């Protein structure tokens, strides 16, 4: 890539939140025609830095330079007007509106002061076709589609804004392998067309493929900026963590030997469970003390199956047995019987603008403090569990919205450790996390299984199920199509089982 003048630069940027130094002396730049990736552990400062670039955080030390001139962004609208668009990891879509309306939210094409619906639908179809999502009906409400389509709508909104700098924060975390491939190719095409892209991802194989340069952050400081073609995943992990990561070597590079704890008693039995257009005739047994991986591509029905076990969806046939007895209907019944559940999206599982302790104590209010909430008791209980899972900072009164994505996920897990469950159903436990935060979450799940809890780990990330699962089920089109037990399993095998030749194309 030819050296060109930077489009945007940061000089000695620092940001403090109370007593926490989120960024310290950051120098960074991105050039037209370049994909500059940013990697680091959760809490390394990536999100803070991106919010400064996108105008979300206007108050910081240091200097931003745009097209060679000093600039202080006032807000996200100011950034967008200048040509800086950000695709957020936590989606800002409006599910009740159509797919097209979400793509053009706030800037619908007008003719004579009236929304030009034909043009909006036509342009929405064109961008989704380019993204490899031509089958999506842009006239349908977004809520009728799975999370992957929600994320594509957010991506399409940024791509159609005409921005010169596009910031992508974990853009593929809810996408299937084929969808990911389309997005990565589109990202390279944007760079070839002269756009500047800042790309944040915990999928390091994506980073090394799509990026021209990679900057590594650790503890709020810039560790290095490297040419992507001269580095590899192992070096990036060493720079991110300061040490080798066993988790990385096991789940990203090699395979994993799947065990089969057939001697343990059944914690959960699912028999012939069916919900039309979601999943069909699903049967399996989860043993006490086992981590059972349930892998599938987006839309395979595995997330909906997790919701059904917890009582959020009502099956049309089949049954769920907990310790040999029918589970019953509804989340309250599931909680009372010892079933815990973490949904695939943190936004639906947490009250982001509430303090940590109110999120943790919510399912247990009657047991912790009676029917009248008593904050000191809730805080005391919360303090114990968030320290156990390593929430940083361990402040029960801090609002969840100010935590990094990885620490938000730890809060979602900590909620269910107040009274340890018999069965823990957890969907996408490491979505949007770096390898260090993933290892911390996996350690928690392993500790639960060692204590006799049956863990059903549901994910569309092969690395996640490979990292912890002792046995793996693969779902496709609403059915279980493969089981791996007592054998070595690789990422490629999982992808082939879930999508056949489509997976091999990645």
């Amino acid at each position: 890539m030819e050296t060109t003048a930077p489009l945007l630069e940061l000089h000695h940027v620092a940001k403090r939140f109370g007593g926490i130094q989120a960024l310290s002396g950051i120098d960074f730049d991105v050039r037209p025609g370049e994909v500059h990736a940013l990697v680091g552990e959760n809490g390394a400062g990536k999100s803070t830095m991106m919010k400064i670039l996108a105008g979300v955080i206007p108050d910081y030390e240091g200097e931003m330079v745009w097209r060679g001139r000093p600039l202080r962004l006032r807000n996200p609208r100011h950034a967008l007007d200048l040509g800086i668009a950000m695709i957020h990891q936590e989606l800002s879509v409006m599910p009740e509106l159509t797919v097209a309306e979400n793509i053009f939210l706030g800037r619908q094409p007008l003719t004579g002061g009236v929304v030009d619906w034909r043009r909006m639908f036509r342009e929405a179809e064109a961008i989704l076709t380019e993204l490899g999502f031509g089958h999506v009906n842009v006239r349908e409400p977004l809520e009728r589609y799975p999370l992957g389509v929600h994320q594509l709508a957010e991506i399409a909104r940024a791509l159609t804004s005409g921005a010169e700098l596009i910031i992508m924060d974990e853009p593929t975390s809810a996408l299937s392998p084929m969808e990911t491939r389309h997005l990565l190719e589109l990202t390279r095409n944007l760079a070839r067309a002269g756009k500047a892209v800042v790309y944040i991802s915990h999928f390091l194989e994506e980073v090394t493929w799509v990026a021209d340069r990679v900057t590594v952050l650790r503890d709020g400081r810039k560790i290095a900026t490297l040419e992507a073609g001269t580095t590899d995943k192992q070096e990036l992990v060493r720079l991110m963590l300061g040490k080798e990561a066993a988790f990385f070597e096991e789940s990203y590079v090699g395979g994993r030997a799947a065990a089969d704890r057939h001697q343990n008693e059944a914690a959960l039995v699912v028999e012939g469970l069916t919900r039309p257009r979601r999943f069909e005739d699903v049967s399996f047994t989860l043993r006490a003390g086992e981590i059972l991986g349930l892998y599938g591509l987006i839309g395979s029905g595995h997330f909906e199956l997790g919701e059904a076990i917890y009582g959020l969806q009502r099956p049309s046939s089949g049954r769920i047995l907990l310790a040999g007895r029918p589970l019953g209907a509804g989340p309250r019944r599931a909680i009372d019987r010892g079933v815990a559940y973490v949904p695939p999206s943190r936004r639906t599982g947490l009250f982001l603008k509430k303090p940590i302790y109110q999120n943790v104590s919510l399912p247990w209010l009657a047991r912790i403090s009676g029917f009248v909430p008593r904050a000191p008791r809730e805080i005391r209980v919360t303090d114990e569990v968030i320290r156990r899972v390593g929430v940083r900072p361990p402040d029960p009164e801090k609002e969840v919205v100010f935590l990094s994505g990885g620490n938000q996920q730890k809060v979602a897990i900590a909620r269910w450790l107040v009274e340890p469950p018999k069965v823990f159903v957890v969907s996408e436990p490491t979505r949007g996390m770096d390898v260090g935060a993933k290892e911390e979450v996996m350690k928690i799940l392993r500790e639960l299984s060692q204590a006799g809890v049956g863990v059903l780990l549901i994910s569309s990330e092969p690395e996640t199920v490979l990292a912890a699962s002792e046995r793996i089920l693969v779902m496709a089109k609403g059915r279980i199509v493969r089981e791996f037990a007592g054998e070595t399993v690789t990422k490629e095998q999982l992808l082939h089982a879930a999508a056949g030749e489509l997976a091999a194309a990645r």
Side-chain angles (χ1 to χ4, degrees):
M1 184 183 69
E2 294 183 5
T3 301
T4 57
L7 179 66
L8 182 141
E9 303 166 74
L10 296 180
H11 297 303
H12 310 300
V13 166
K15 177 61 183 177
R16 177 180 290 274
F17 294 101
I20 300 172
Q21 189 72 41
L23 291 176
S24 181
I26 297 293
D27 292 320
F28 177 84
D29 68 81
V30 60
R31 306 161 187 158
E34 173 188 43
V35 179
H36 193 151
L38 189 67
V39 300
E41 288 191 87
N42 282 91
K46 304 188 304 295
S47 295
T48 301
M49 183 172 152
M50 290 307 96
K51 288 175 181 177
I52 289 173
L53 291 180
V56 178
I57 297 177
D59 180 24
Y60 57 89
E61 298 176 30
E63 182 182 55
M64 179 187 296
V65 176
W66 175 255
R67 293 189 171 280
R69 296 183 178 181
L71 170 71
R72 181 70 60 153
L73 294 171
R74 299 185 298 273
N75 50 50
R77 183 75 252 178
H78 184 198
L80 193 59
D81 289 343
L82 284 174
I84 302 172
M86 182 168 179
I87 300 165
H88 294 270
Q89 179 185 348
E90 298 300 336
L91 306 182
S92 58
V93 295
M94 300 185 70
E96 67 277 9
L97 299 182
T98 65
V99 175
E101 287 174 293
N102 272 279
I103 292 174
F104 289 95
L105 200 62
R107 50 183 184 82
Q108 296 91 337
L110 304 176
T111 300
V114 178
V115 174
D116 189 336
W117 293 96
R118 286 187 178 181
R119 178 184 166 193
M120 184 169 69
F121 291 144
R122 184 173 64 251
E123 293 182 2
E125 288 170 348
I127 186 63
L128 288 185
T129 297
E130 188 176 3
L131 284 167
F133 256 65
H135 64 280
V136 172
N137 186 346
V138 299
R139 295 168 173 79
E140 291 282 351
L142 186 61
E143 63 189 358
R144 296 187 183 178
Y145 288 100
L147 185 62
V149 179
H150 293 211
Q151 189 147 21
L152 261 293
E154 184 104 354
I155 292 167
R157 186 192 306 163
L159 297 182
T160 57
S161 69
E164 296 177 77
L165 170 60
I166 299 170
I167 303 166
M168 298 184 173
D169 188 3
E170 303 289 358
T172 66
S173 58
L175 304 185
S176 72
M178 183 58 73
E179 295 156 6
T180 294
R181 182 187 179 201
H182 280 296
L183 179 64
L184 293 176
E185 290 174 347
L186 178 64
T187 302
R188 289 301 320 158
N189 288 338
L190 287 170
R192 293 187 188 103
K195 304 288 187 183
V197 180
V198 177
Y199 191 93
I200 306 170
S201 179
H202 66 285
F203 293 116
L204 298 183
E205 60 186 6
E206 292 179 9
V207 166
T208 55
W209 188 88
V210 78
D212 297 292
R213 289 189 293 160
V214 184
T215 289
V216 181
L217 297 185
R218 187 171 75 227
D219 298 327
R221 297 179 180 274
K222 186 174 86 169
I223 302 302
T225 295
L226 308 168
E227 296 293 327
T230 65
T231 189
D232 57 24
K233 293 180 289 184
Q234 286 87 345
E235 182 180 16
L236 291 176
V237 169
R238 286 194 295 270
L239 292 170
M240 288 163 55
L241 305 182
K243 60 184 182 298
E244 287 284 352
F247 166 82
F248 178 86
E249 296 294 338
E250 178 179 74
S251 63
Y252 277 73
V253 179
R256 180 178 180 87
D260 185 0
R261 297 192 174 189
H262 57 83
Q263 71 277 14
N264 290 15
E265 65 181 9
L268 179 79
V269 176
V270 173
E271 296 180 345
L273 212 63
T274 297
R275 180 174 171 82
R277 293 183 294 181
R278 297 292 186 272
F279 47 83
E280 185 174 356
D281 195 26
V282 173
S283 299
F284 66 88
T285 298
L286 170 65
R287 304 279 174 184
E290 175 186 34
I291 300 180
L292 174 61
L294 184 61
Y295 172 73
L297 304 181
I298 298 296
S300 68
H302 55 332
F303 296 137
E304 292 82 356
L305 181 62
E307 292 178 348
I309 292 171
Y310 184 62
L312 293 173
Q313 293 204 26
R314 193 177 187 89
S316 59
S317 61
R319 63 176 185 163
I320 304 169
L321 304 176
L322 186 71
R325 295 168 45 210
L327 180 58
R332 186 71 259 172
R333 178 66 171 165
I335 293 171
D336 291 342
R337 292 286 307 280
V339 177
Y341 173 70
V342 176
S345 172
R346 290 186 283 272
R347 294 192 68 165
T348 60
L350 296 171
F351 295 98
L352 297 181
K353 294 187 178 181
K354 296 292 184 181
I356 294 172
Y357 80 86
Q358 289 185 0
N359 277 274
V360 169
S361 66
L362 184 62
W364 317 109
L365 282 178
R367 304 181 196 184
I368 293 175
S369 56
F371 291 100
V372 179
R374 293 181 175 85
R377 194 175 300 176
E378 294 175 59
I379 290 172
R380 186 169 62 251
V381 170
T382 297
D383 184 69
E384 179 182 341
V385 294
I386 65 174
R387 289 182 184 278
R388 177 180 168 187
V389 301
V391 172
R392 292 189 291 270
D395 179 2
E397 298 185 66
K398 190 175 187 66
E399 289 184 17
V400 174
V401 70
F402 294 117
L403 300 177
S404 68
N407 283 299
Q408 289 179 2
Q409 188 72 324
K410 291 177 187 177
V411 171
I413 292 173
R415 166 188 289 170
W416 301 109
L417 303 185
V418 173
E419 293 191 11
K422 296 182 178 69
V423 169
F424 197 176
V425 180
V426 54
S427 293
E428 298 293 20
T430 60
R431 177 176 176 252
M433 293 186 189
D434 58 80
V435 292
K438 280 188 175 190
E439 173 60 16
E440 291 179 336
V441 170
M442 290 303 174
K443 181 181 177 183
I444 296 168
L445 297 183
R446 293 188 194 106
E447 289 174 350
L448 286 170
S449 73
Q450 289 164 7
V453 177
V455 178
L456 181 61
L457 194 166
I458 305 173
S459 182
S460 290
E461 298 179 358
E463 298 87 356
T464 298
V465 293
L466 286 170
S469 305
E470 297 154 289
R471 187 163 53 97
I472 301 171
L473 304 176
V474 180
M475 282 189 72
K477 297 183 179 179
R479 292 178 174 270
I480 293 177
V481 295
R482 181 77 186 270
E483 176 178 0
F484 293 97
E487 59 186 297
T488 298
V489 189
T490 66
K491 176 179 175 178
E492 288 71 24
Q493 286 176 301
L494 289 181
L495 291 171
H496 274 288
E501 293 305 313
L502 286 177
R506 184 174 178 178

